[in-house]
């Protein structure tokens, strides 16, 4: 990515670039949209979906990869979004000196929720 | 007409307040907001505001006029006054020095950060660095900025992160130098803008475009910077 000269950094920034965040946000949004459209189409075109059919749908390798990809996209999208919200509103300017601690706790909470969500989804996907 | 002016002297007042003035507006002509302020000052000479050229060139009388940022000197009453009432406040988001006068330090700091001057490492030519008319035309809509800060102080991203987000005015000028065919520091300039705040805090809500008294379009310039960053990163 060429030379980097970060003028602005923050503890929870993890040295990311705004450009990659911006790109990830857009690409992940497209993946999420595709997944939603794809599943809406399947559900709408199958008037009476049985459990067996539903299970079979998720057992295929392609769907498994697609689901996993969407899961990754969702986690990345949510993380970048929450990090951005936190650095807009949970700041020194907004809440004084306790801001860094509040933001850190909030972001660690976000990571925990996303990690649990990710593991839980992987378990479900691999159980079919 | 009722003119309500934001009054605050940090040395003597505990908190800001609005003070009302009844101003007789002479009929038959459309005054500018700055003219009305002069009439207010005749009534009460303790009212503080900045002004200089009174024709939209110096950019010193940017203020919030009936809720919208603009230059008092080129904003006609007929454009902004409703129900015979005029409310004047300082530009939002910046510390108030006194009344309608704000401390623009952070705004200028962001301007300074984008290095608003030509940088060229090529040998200095005997007379001048030439530029084709086409390349010169690329600077139109960029160089006209008068740094009045109407745009940046109307931008929520600048309110939340004025230390880290360059803001629309600074970014318009950043692009003015990125777009200049005579500048050779494009890569360094872009490297300084790639972090998650400097450019990427812009959410494209175009509050800046809505108020620029010079009719400039910082959002479009920001889009161009993003494209350049993308090309450089790819
Ligand atoms: S378009 Fe960007 S710079 Fe302009 S007001 Fe909106 S967020 Fe601010
Ligand atoms: S872009 Fe327009 S509103 Fe912003 S500082 Fe320049 S002249 Fe003022």
């Amino acid at each position: 990515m060429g030379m980097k000269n970060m003028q602005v950094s923050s503890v929870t920034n993890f040295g990311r670039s705004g450009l990659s965040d911006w790109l990830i946000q857009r690409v992940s949004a497209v993946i999420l949209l595709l997944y939603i459209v794809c599943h809406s189409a399947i559900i709408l075109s199958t008037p009476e979906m049985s459990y067996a059919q539903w299970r079979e749908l998720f057992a295929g390798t392609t769907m498994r990869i697609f689901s996993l990809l969407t899961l990754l996209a969702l986690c990345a999208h949510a993380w970048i979004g929450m990090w951005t919200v936190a650095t807009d509103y949970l700041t020194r300017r907004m809440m004084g000196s306790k801001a860094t601690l509040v933001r850190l706790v909030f972001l660690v909470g976000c990571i925990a929720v996303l990690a649990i969500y990710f593991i839980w989804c992987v378990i479900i996907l691999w159980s079919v | 007409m009722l003119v309500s002016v934001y009054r605050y002297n940090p040395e003597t007042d505990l908190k800001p307040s609005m003070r009302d003035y009844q101003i007789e507006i002479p009929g038959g002509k459309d005054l500018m907001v700055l003219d009305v302020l002069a009439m207010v000052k005749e009534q009460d000479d303790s009212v503080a505001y900045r002004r200089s050229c009174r024709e939209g060139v110096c950019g010193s009388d940017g203020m919030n006029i009936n809720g919208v940022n603009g230059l008092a000197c080129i904003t006609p009453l007929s454009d902004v006054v409703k129900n015979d009432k005029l409310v004047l406040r300082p530009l939002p988001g910046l510390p108030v020095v006194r009344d309608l006068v704000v401390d623009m330090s952070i705004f200028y700091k962001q301007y300074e950060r984008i290095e608003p001057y030509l940088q060229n490492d090529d040998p200095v030519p005997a007379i001048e660095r030439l530029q084709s008319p086409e390349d010169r035309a690329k600077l139109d809509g960029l160089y006209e900025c008068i740094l009045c800060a109407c745009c940046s102080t109307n931008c929520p991203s600048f309110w939340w992160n004025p230390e880290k987000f360059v803001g629309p005015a600074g970014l318009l000028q950043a692009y003015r130098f990125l777009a200049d065919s005579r500048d050779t520091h494009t890569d360094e300039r872009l490297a300084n803008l790639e972090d998650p705040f400097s450019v990427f805090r812009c959410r494209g809500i175009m509050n800046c475009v809505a108020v620029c008294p010079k009719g400039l379009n910082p959002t479009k310039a920001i889009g161009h910077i993003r494209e350049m960053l993308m090309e450089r990163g790819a």
Side-chain angles (χ1 to χ4, degrees):
Chain A
M1 258 208 194
M3 162 180 114
K4 240 192 219 161
N5 176 8
M6 293 266 235
Q7 285 210 336
V8 179
S9 61
S10 100
V11 211
T12 51
N13 200 349
F14 301 128
R16 283 194 331 251
S17 96
L19 178 65
S20 56
D21 276 11
W22 190 81
L23 270 176
I24 292 169
Q25 219 52 347
R26 263 121 204 109
V27 172
S28 59
V30 171
I31 295 173
L32 289 170
L33 186 70
L34 280 179
Y35 199 75
I36 293 168
V37 169
C38 200
H39 279 264
S40 307
I42 292 171
I43 291 168
L44 288 176
S45 63
T46 325
E48 272 178 61
M49 176 91 73
S50 68
Y51 177 67
Q53 274 174 307
W54 185 245
R55 203 185 151 90
E56 199 187 336
L57 177 65
F58 283 94
T61 314
T62 317
M63 184 54 90
R64 199 172 271 180
I65 291 170
F66 192 16
S67 299
L68 191 66
L69 194 67
T70 305
L71 181 60
L72 281 171
L74 183 86
C75 289
H77 198 90
W79 167 247
I80 293 172
M82 292 320 258
W83 180 80
T84 307
V85 170
T87 47
D88 263 358
Y89 297 102
L90 306 179
T91 59
R92 215 167 239 284
R93 170 166 292 266
M94 294 293 209
M95 50 191 359
S97 56
K98 64 180 188 295
T100 310
L101 184 67
V102 173
R103 189 168 69 244
L104 220 64
V105 169
F106 173 79
L107 288 173
V108 168
C110 286
I111 293 178
V113 169
L114 287 174
I116 293 169
Y117 188 72
F118 184 82
I119 294 167
W120 188 25
C121 286
V122 169
I123 292 172
I124 294 172
L125 285 173
W126 258 256
S127 68
V128 286
Chain B
M1 187 172 68
L2 181 71
V3 184
S4 189
V5 183
Y6 178 101
R7 302 299 309 270
Y8 183 49
N9 180 348
E11 278 162 23
T12 55
D13 305 339
L14 283 176
K15 58 182 175 41
S17 61
M18 299 300 291
R19 202 172 301 164
D20 290 347
Y21 301 89
Q22 201 62 47
I23 302 292
E24 269 326 303
I25 303 293
K29 51 181 171 178
D30 196 7
L31 293 185
M32 297 295 172
V33 172
L34 186 63
D35 302 326
V36 178
L37 257 175
M39 294 156 103
V40 169
K41 206 167 167 75
E42 263 168 43
Q43 265 188 32
D44 176 355
D45 65 3
S46 69
V47 178
Y49 58 93
R50 285 195 186 105
R51 49 92 73 204
S52 178
C53 76
R54 58 106 190 95
E55 55 184 3
V57 176
C58 72
S60 50
D61 65 353
M63 60 186 70
N64 190 275
I65 306 164
N66 275 359
V68 182
N69 287 357
L71 296 177
C73 57
I74 54 168
T75 304
L77 290 182
S78 58
D79 270 13
V80 285
V81 172
K82 276 186 205 90
N83 304 324
D84 219 28
K85 191 169 183 203
L86 183 65
V87 182
L88 300 176
R89 293 173 185 275
L91 290 174
L94 294 177
V96 173
V97 176
R98 197 166 148 184
D99 301 340
L100 300 174
V101 177
V102 288
D103 178 358
M104 311 250 291
S105 309
I106 191 90
F107 176 80
Y108 292 136
K109 224 173 102 199
Q110 291 297 354
Y111 179 54
E112 196 184 344
R113 223 188 88 194
I114 60 102
E115 305 182 348
Y117 38 86
L118 215 58
Q119 298 180 51
N120 193 318
D121 296 334
D122 299 338
V124 181
I127 302 177
E128 61 192 326
R129 293 194 198 278
L130 295 175
Q131 188 171 45
S132 71
E134 295 77 42
D135 281 338
R136 167 59 189 79
K138 288 180 188 156
L139 309 183
D140 288 339
L142 305 172
Y143 78 89
E144 299 94 329
C145 171
I146 56 172
L147 295 174
C148 64
C150 285
C151 56
S152 292
T153 58
N154 202 39
C155 169
S157 291
F158 191 72
W159 294 338
W160 308 157
N161 283 299
E163 300 89 5
K164 295 176 175 176
F165 176 52
V166 174
L171 289 171
L172 188 81
Q173 291 319 295
Y175 183 60
R176 181 246 170 277
F177 288 95
L178 285 167
D180 196 316
S181 62
R182 298 163 299 177
D183 192 284
T184 59
H185 278 220
T186 308
D187 199 62
E188 291 86 338
R189 290 180 185 281
L190 288 173
N192 281 338
L193 295 171
E194 207 208 344
D195 65 273
F197 286 95
S198 304
V199 174
F200 286 99
R201 276 296 141 137
C202 168
R203 306 276 155 72
I205 51 169
M206 299 176 83
N207 267 14
C208 48
V209 184
V211 294
C212 175
K214 297 306 237 182
L216 307 177
N217 191 333
T219 312
K220 199 166 132 200
I222 293 168
H224 288 312
I225 298 178
R226 231 190 259 124
E227 276 163 33
M228 291 181 86
L229 281 167
M230 203 111 89
E231 256 166 54
R232 177 175 169 274

